[in-house]
């Protein structure tokens, strides 16, 4: 958000501005005009400000955070180090003063994210479990010779992945195992069936 306010300020006053940024990924994203998945909405705002003229007014340099004053090689570096430390203190104080309602929302969002990470992980395990079941080489006792005509072979004697998936015996445990509703599995099976003839899914 600091980058956004700096761009707004430069654009409003039409002033050439050089930013010193201690967050390497923010500096790289700004210089290379790359959007980052985290805080994607903020990067969209940066793109809009740059497109509206801030790109011709603002440039940036990266500087390590928490510089040791004893290792600064110029008065300018020392000035940056002192002011960067002061800004850090202000940021920490500001975060501590945020209302409890905000931290409640933050924690709820973290819990929600973790919940869906866990669900997707369970779904991944479930999917690969089905894959392993349907792709296991049959044992000798399970191999049954079948004599069929050419017409039957042309009609297809092998079941698709969707057919085997739909015949799995433990579907009743799907929701309890993964946390997803059974309707999600039905939609997944429908998608697999529609793409079953593709070489790559």
């Amino acid at each position: 958000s600091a980058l956004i306010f700096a761009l707004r300020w430069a654009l409003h006053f039409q002033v050439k501005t050089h930013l010193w940024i201690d967050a390497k990924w923010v500096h790289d994203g700004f210089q290379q005009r790359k959007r980052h998945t985290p805080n994607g909405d903020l990067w969209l705002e940066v793109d809009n400000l740059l497109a509206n003229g801030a790109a011709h007014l603002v440039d940036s340099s990266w500087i390590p955070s928490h510089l040791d004053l004893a290792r600064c090689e110029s008065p300018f570096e020392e000035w940056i180090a002192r002011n960067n430390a002061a800004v850090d203190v202000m940021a920490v104080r500001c975060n501590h003063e945020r209302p409890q309602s905000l931290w409640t929302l933050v924690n709820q969002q973290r819990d929600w994210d973790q919940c869906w990470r866990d669900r997707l992980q369970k779904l991944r395990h479930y999917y690969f479990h089905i894959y392993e079941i349907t792709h296991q080489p049959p044992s000798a006792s399970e191999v049954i010779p079948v004599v069929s005509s050419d017409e039957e072979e042309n009609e297809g004697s092998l079941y698709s992945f969707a057919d085997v998936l739909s015949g799995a015996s433990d579907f009743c445990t799907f929701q309890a195992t993964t946390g997803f509703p059974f309707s999600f599995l039905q939609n997944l099976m429908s998608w697999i069936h529609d793409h079953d003839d593709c070489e790559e899914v």
Side-chain angles (χ1 to χ4, degrees):
S1 59
L3 174 60
I4 290 176
F5 281 106
L7 294 175
R8 288 176 180 172
W9 184 89
L11 194 59
H12 177 77
F13 292 102
Q14 291 295 301
V15 176
K16 287 276 188 179
T17 306
H18 193 94
L19 304 177
W20 293 85
I21 303 174
D22 61 1
K24 189 71 165 59
W25 67 277
V26 174
H27 172 258
D28 291 344
F30 176 70
Q31 286 290 329
Q32 301 169 18
R33 305 298 190 258
K34 290 184 177 180
R35 294 181 183 177
H36 295 263
T37 301
N39 303 319
D41 56 331
L42 299 180
W43 284 104
L44 286 175
E45 178 67 16
V46 170
D47 288 344
N48 292 332
L49 292 168
L50 293 174
N52 289 332
H56 304 291
L57 296 172
V58 181
D59 197 5
S60 70
S61 296
W62 174 73
I63 186 170
S65 59
H66 308 294
L67 281 174
D68 186 352
L69 292 177
R71 301 182 63 180
C72 293
E73 298 179 356
S74 68
F76 181 65
E77 285 190 358
E78 183 176 341
W79 179 85
I80 291 178
R82 289 184 184 278
N83 284 277
N84 190 53
V87 169
D88 284 344
V89 171
M90 293 173 62
V92 171
R93 184 183 305 158
C94 180
N95 284 332
H96 282 303
E97 293 176 353
R98 292 181 185 274
Q100 183 59 41
S101 58
L102 173 66
W103 293 115
T104 300
L105 290 175
V106 169
N107 291 330
Q108 289 175 349
Q109 182 64 46
R110 288 175 179 170
D111 292 342
W112 188 90
D113 291 342
Q114 186 61 48
C115 175
W116 279 98
R117 277 194 295 267
D118 293 341
R119 286 183 174 183
L120 290 174
Q121 188 68 14
K122 290 178 180 178
L123 179 62
R124 181 178 182 273
H125 288 317
Y126 191 88
Y127 177 86
F128 281 104
H129 177 64
I130 295 295
Y131 180 86
E132 290 172 358
I133 292 176
T134 58
H135 289 73
Q136 285 180 353
S139 62
S141 60
E142 294 175 339
V143 176
I144 302 175
V146 176
V147 179
S148 61
S149 65
D150 292 339
E151 292 182 358
E152 289 175 335
E153 290 182 356
N154 291 334
E155 291 176 357
S157 59
L158 297 177
Y159 288 105
S160 68
F161 176 76
D163 294 329
V164 178
L165 185 62
S166 62
S169 59
D170 56 349
F171 273 6
C172 58
T173 66
F174 178 81
Q175 183 168 351
T177 303
T178 66
F180 287 91
F182 188 74
S183 58
F184 175 83
L185 181 59
Q186 291 175 315
N187 292 332
L188 177 63
M189 289 169 52
S190 177
W191 186 91
I192 293 173
H193 184 271
D194 293 341
H195 295 76
D196 213 30
D197 294 333
C198 300
E199 293 182 0
E200 294 182 2
V201 176

